[in-house]
Amino acid sequence: MNETTSLLGRRRGIRCNINSEEEIMNSSIFHEIQVEKEMRRKLNDFFMSTWQKWRLRGQFPWKICIQAMLFTIFSFQLYSFGNHRTFHLEQHSDMTAAFNKVFLKDWHPDTSVYPSINKADKIYTVPDFYHHVDYTVNQYAKLNSERIGSYGYDSENGKPPPLKFCFQQYDGEILPENVFIEIGSVQEHCFLIPVHDLKKNHNLDSFSFEKFLKHSNYSLNFGTLIQAQLTFRLKMVFRKFMSKMDPPECYRLNLGVEFDNTKHAGLISVSLNIRPIRINCNVKSNIANEDFQFSLRQNIDTTIALLCVASIILCSISLGEGFKLLKETVYFFKHYQGKSLTPSESLDFIDFWYVTIILSEIIILYGLYVKIQVQEINEEITNFSTSAEILGYGYIVQIVGNFRYVSYNLKSNVLLLIIKKSFLNIIRCLACILVLFWGYCVIGWIVLAPYHVKFSSLSAASESIFSAMQGDDIFGIFTSLNTDRLSVWWFCQIYTYSFIIIYIYVFGTLIITFIGDAFEILKQKYVNDDIPSTSVEIFLEKEEYLAFYCKDSEPAPSSKDKVKFWNALKMLKEIILS
């Protein structure tokens, strides 16, 4: 019987003598070989790309196909939704401007680049207040005869419902001459202004709100007045192109002229607040077909929802398989390799791209729910913007999740690899940048707020210096300063110049250096093809020898043989990548 030798390619370099093939099959060493072979097969299958699994194993790439279908259909829906919302916002903006012009006395749109004091929406005297209310009541009464748009009273017979006037004021009095202040609780009073009765009795032309208050036993104390509201409701029809894809939309408009005196600074701010609520339309037209649009929206929403659910299920299964394989790998390395995986090596089994995809699908499903609430159940139109924001977040997260399939190609994955490698250094640098940025925001707001429109608030200050950090509108920071104080002028100069030098030339160069270092490290690793560093990579790429029929004196494989084997693996890798 010939003596046989089994040379195992493990790091421990086990050498054994076995006298028969039957003993080999029954030995514990053969069992270890089989376990190692099975674990290598599982790890190779797990770390295969989608295309490798399809080409080598015939496994159809369901997840990437679902993602491609979802991305295409959702992009089309988002494009249609964006066009619809843009047209709607233009209509709403025009409607708001029209109603401001109709119901507010001496109103003019503010077209200035930077905010300025607009005297048209301020009240400075008591007679001006009553004139504003009289003007709004008269315009409301003459709505049917002077209107241009498709809007009218919120009534079935076309008669104007009464307006509602409410005001809140403190119980007490203020005497500036004696510097005397007596303030009690806040009292609120409301009453109706019967416009239809005034028109019927021909008293509308001579209507005076001041006399109406006295007749109703109400009085306004402008020294203690907090705010007042004059509210009424209208109905409006938005007509677009009157096609099957764009039927008319009907809304109930809750309008309120608000008089704000909370600051008690000698003026009352006047504004018009409009809150639209969508209602059903009674459409009788051969052109507009709301049922067709409803069916189309329902089919697209249902398809997207089903694709999202399918994607969530498949990605969750893949994550579960990753966790299961992680447990098996930890057990294998601990009992058969005599080592443990590091936390970073364990994270390789958790595909965070799947987590990103699942998150995007959940956001899209919630956005669809809000969108259906707006379009089909006729909720308040303010949720229109909420739905657009949620769908936009879902779309951008979906795009980020789809980078998973770009990462299969190393040449296309350079950006992601550089960001991953330099992420921690950039985060540490940004922590210092944000602390210093916050300090500049607060200092600029405290010192320059009274003299500079760009620093009038904390948010405005942060926006201004962030724009300066990008090199935008730096000249405006210097020229918009409105003060004769030399100390404030010098502070603005030093403040702006130091900020630009620190952020553009110091921090900007530092971040570019981090990115450049990460690129050089990745270039050294992937271009020069360094030896893999993680335990799993070494295990998958290491050399395996198993000689059943050899002489006892045959030497173990040398380091030169291992180098040759490693070079062969590199050649095989280049062939696969090419």
Side-chain angles (χ1 to χ4, degrees):
M1 181 179 297
N2 295 329
E3 187 182 69
T4 61
T5 303
S6 175
L7 299 176
L8 301 178
R10 295 187 300 247
R11 290 194 271 309
R12 293 174 296 184
I14 296 177
R15 184 181 179 88
C16 59
N17 295 330
I18 303 177
N19 295 324
S20 66
E21 185 176 348
E22 182 179 358
E23 292 182 11
I24 295 175
M25 299 299 293
N26 295 329
S27 65
S28 60
I29 298 176
F30 183 79
H31 175 70
E32 292 184 17
I33 294 173
Q34 293 298 107
V35 172
E36 187 172 328
K37 182 179 178 181
E38 181 66 17
M39 179 54 63
R40 180 175 286 104
R41 183 190 63 81
K42 290 182 179 180
L43 291 173
N44 277 321
D45 290 346
F46 180 78
F47 288 107
M48 278 185 184
S49 67
T50 301
W51 310 117
Q52 291 173 336
K53 291 180 181 178
W54 188 19
R55 185 174 62 252
L56 300 178
R57 296 168 48 189
Q59 180 177 339
F60 189 77
W62 288 107
K63 288 190 286 292
I64 191 172
C65 290
I66 290 176
Q67 285 297 312
M69 294 173 58
L70 179 62
F71 181 77
T72 303
I73 299 175
F74 186 56
S75 297
F76 170 76
Q77 187 203 44
L78 210 61
Y79 176 78
S80 303
F81 182 75
N83 284 336
H84 175 71
R85 181 172 180 265
T86 300
F87 192 85
H88 170 269
L89 290 178
E90 291 176 355
Q91 283 186 321
H92 185 76
S93 177
D94 295 340
M95 175 196 70
T96 303
F99 285 151
N100 274 281
K101 187 67 177 178
V102 170
F103 294 110
L104 297 184
K105 188 175 183 296
D106 300 330
W107 181 86
H108 296 285
D110 187 5
T111 59
S112 59
V113 177
Y114 299 113
S116 59
I117 299 177
N118 188 0
K119 296 183 179 180
D121 58 352
K122 307 292 182 181
I123 295 175
Y124 299 92
T125 62
V126 174
D128 286 342
F129 175 84
Y130 289 119
H131 291 162
H132 270 77
V133 178
D134 294 343
Y135 179 84
T136 302
V137 173
N138 278 274
Q139 290 296 107
Y140 177 76
K142 298 184 294 183
L143 194 65
N144 283 341
S145 59
E146 297 185 357
R147 67 186 178 189
I148 294 179
S150 301
Y151 55 86
Y153 300 117
D154 186 17
S155 61
E156 298 294 336
N157 53 12
K159 297 180 181 179
L163 294 89
K164 184 178 181 181
F165 186 85
C166 296
F167 64 96
Q168 298 87 36
Q169 61 184 13
Y170 293 109
D171 182 18
E173 60 179 346
I174 299 177
L175 301 177
E177 297 84 359
N178 301 327
V179 198
F180 175 78
I181 302 174
E182 182 182 358
I183 298 296
S185 61
V186 177
Q187 295 183 347
E188 181 176 4
H189 303 280
C190 294
F191 55 87
L192 299 178
I193 303 176
V195 177
H196 177 65
D197 295 339
L198 295 174
K199 291 180 62 177
K200 185 177 180 180
N201 298 329
H202 304 286
N203 295 329
L204 187 61
D205 295 335
S206 59
F207 174 77
S208 173
F209 182 67
E210 184 177 6
K211 296 179 180 179
F212 184 83
L213 277 176
K214 294 179 180 179
H215 181 73
S216 303
N217 295 325
Y218 290 105
S219 62
L220 291 176
N221 185 351
F222 288 92
T224 59
L225 179 67
I226 302 173
Q227 61 181 1
Q229 304 91 22
L230 182 63
T231 59
F232 51 95
R233 295 197 304 183
L234 301 175
K235 288 181 180 179
M236 187 170 189
V237 177
F238 281 157
R239 292 172 297 175
K240 292 179 281 187
F241 305 108
M242 293 299 290
S243 63
K244 289 185 177 182
M245 294 297 296
D246 295 295
E249 297 178 355
C250 302
Y251 294 92
R252 175 178 288 110
L253 307 177
N254 295 314
L255 294 91
V257 180
E258 298 182 354
F259 303 90
D260 185 12
N261 191 37
T262 54
K263 296 181 180 180
H264 295 90
L267 58 86
I268 297 177
S269 301
V270 183
S271 61
L272 180 65
N273 182 31
I274 303 175
R275 189 166 60 92
I277 301 176
R278 188 175 176 182
I279 58 178
N280 293 323
C281 295
N282 298 321
V283 182
K284 295 181 180 180
S285 173
N286 295 327
I287 300 177
N289 189 352
E290 193 169 358
D291 294 335
F292 175 80
Q293 189 194 40
F294 176 79
S295 301
L296 181 62
R297 288 199 305 261
Q298 288 293 317
N299 291 332
I300 294 178
D301 292 342
T302 303
T303 303
I304 293 176
L306 292 176
L307 290 175
C308 287
V309 172
S311 178
I312 291 174
I313 293 174
L314 292 178
C315 292
S316 300
I317 293 174
S318 298
L319 285 176
E321 293 176 350
F323 279 108
K324 182 180 178 181
L325 183 60
L326 173 60
K327 294 181 180 179
E328 295 179 3
T329 306
V330 170
Y331 178 83
F332 172 80
F333 273 83
K334 183 177 181 180
H335 289 80
Y336 293 94
Q337 300 292 319
K339 62 184 303 185
S340 301
L341 297 181
T342 63
S344 60
E345 292 173 343
S346 300
L347 288 178
D348 291 338
F349 292 85
I350 303 174
D351 197 335
F352 287 98
W353 293 118
Y354 286 145
V355 178
T356 306
I357 292 174
I358 292 174
L359 178 62
S360 69
E361 317 304 17
I362 294 174
I363 296 175
I364 290 173
L365 287 174
Y366 181 65
L368 286 177
Y369 171 76
V370 178
K371 173 178 167 294
I372 292 173
Q373 294 288 321
V374 175
Q375 291 184 331
E376 316 301 348
I377 308 180
N378 301 330
E379 281 200 352
E380 292 187 18
I381 203 63
T382 52
N383 290 334
F384 218 115
S385 297
T386 304
S387 174
E389 293 171 5
I390 297 173
L391 292 176
Y393 294 147
Y395 190 69
I396 190 64
V397 177
Q398 183 191 41
I399 292 176
V400 173
N402 287 334
F403 278 140
R404 175 182 187 272
Y405 306 104
V406 179
S407 62
Y408 293 149
N409 189 341
L410 182 60
K411 295 180 180 179
S412 303
N413 196 31
V414 174
L415 177 61
L416 295 178
L417 292 174
I418 291 175
I419 293 175
K420 181 180 178 181
K421 191 66 179 177
S422 60
F423 182 75
L424 292 179
N425 289 331
I426 293 178
I427 290 298
R428 296 187 187 102
C429 183
L430 286 178
C432 301
I433 292 176
L434 289 177
V435 172
L436 190 58
F437 183 85
W438 171 253
Y440 268 92
C441 289
V442 175
I443 294 174
W445 173 48
I446 294 296
V447 178
L448 299 177
Y451 316 103
H452 208 301
V453 67
K454 287 178 172 289
F455 295 87
S456 58
S457 63
L458 186 60
S459 61
S462 64
E463 293 166 0
S464 299
I465 63 175
F466 187 81
S467 299
M469 186 169 59
Q470 307 302 318
D472 298 334
D473 202 20
I474 298 177
F475 183 72
I477 296 179
F478 292 109
T479 58
S480 300
L481 186 65
N482 185 18
T483 182
D484 295 331
R485 298 188 61 179
L486 188 60
S487 60
V488 176
W489 184 87
W490 274 110
F491 175 85
C492 183
Q493 304 297 309
I494 298 173
Y495 175 86
T496 308
Y497 281 118
S498 62
F499 179 84
I500 293 172
I501 292 173
I502 292 174
Y503 276 84
I504 295 181
Y505 298 106
V506 178
F507 286 142
T509 306
L510 187 60
I511 292 178
I512 293 174
T513 303
F514 290 150
I515 296 175
D517 291 342
F519 176 77
E520 292 299 328
I521 295 174
L522 293 172
K523 181 180 178 181
Q524 181 71 19
K525 180 177 182 180
Y526 289 96
V527 176
N528 297 336
D529 219 352
D530 286 351
I531 297 177
S533 56
T534 66
S535 300
V536 177
E537 289 177 351
I538 295 174
F539 172 71
L540 291 177
E541 298 287 351
K542 76 176 183 178
E543 181 183 6
E544 290 292 332
Y545 291 94
L546 183 61
F548 291 108
Y549 301 99
C550 58
K551 295 182 179 180
D552 183 44
S553 59
E554 183 177 355
S558 63
S559 59
K560 292 183 178 180
D561 296 329
K562 294 184 179 181
V563 172
K564 292 180 180 179
F565 184 73
W566 176 247
N567 293 332
L569 284 177
K570 290 198 295 183
M571 293 177 60
L572 180 61
K573 181 179 179 182
E574 292 176 358
I575 294 173
I576 294 175
L577 291 177
S578 60

